[in-house]
Amino acid sequence: MESRRGPLKSAVPSNVVSPVRRCSRTACGRPAVATLTYVYADSTAVLGPLATYAEPHCYDLCAEHSERLTAPRGWEVVRLLDGSAPAQPSGDDLEALANAVREAARPQERAAGAGG
């Protein structure tokens, strides 16, 4: 009788395991499309494109769960664009555009005032 055991064998052959990362939510097997990270110091949840590597303190989410994501009361959710989706103009973008139009109109007003 031998007292030493050989190396443990995996119960699942390695060629059966899918290389596709799955949603971290319980009982959800859909493919992950986004990564959620918490910044506790800032009370912020950051949802961005799927990270290159799975990190132990990040959560991979499928499209449905990433769209429905909410944060605890008092926390802010920051959604980072992945570059493939068309960017939607924000209120700041529209205000900046309006300011640029106003600024472009000013030289004509100054020239008319200086010549008169």
Side-chain angles (χ1 to χ4, degrees):
M1 190 166 163
E2 207 173 301
S3 62
R4 294 187 180 223
R5 296 182 182 185
L8 295 175
K9 293 184 179 180
S10 174
V12 179
S14 61
N15 61 352
V16 175
V17 178
S18 172
V20 176
R21 287 173 28 204
R22 301 286 177 192
C23 183
S24 297
R25 295 291 304 259
T26 305
C28 181
R30 291 184 286 261
V33 298
T35 298
L36 172 65
T37 306
Y38 291 105
V39 182
Y40 294 98
D42 297 332
S43 299
T44 303
V46 180
L47 183 68
L50 189 62
T52 306
Y53 301 101
E55 296 289 335
H57 300 289
C58 297
Y59 303 91
D60 294 337
L61 299 176
C62 65
E64 181 180 343
H65 285 121
S66 63
E67 289 170 6
R68 296 184 350 196
L69 176 73
T70 60
R73 185 175 302 166
W75 282 58
E76 179 183 0
V77 176
V78 175
R79 295 177 186 269
L80 304 174
L81 296 176
D82 65 357
S84 65
Q88 298 294 325
S90 69
D92 290 341
D93 293 338
L94 296 176
E95 186 176 349
L97 180 59
N99 289 339
V101 169
R102 285 188 204 108
E103 188 64 32
R106 283 192 180 146
Q108 295 172 352
E109 292 172 6
R110 290 181 189 151

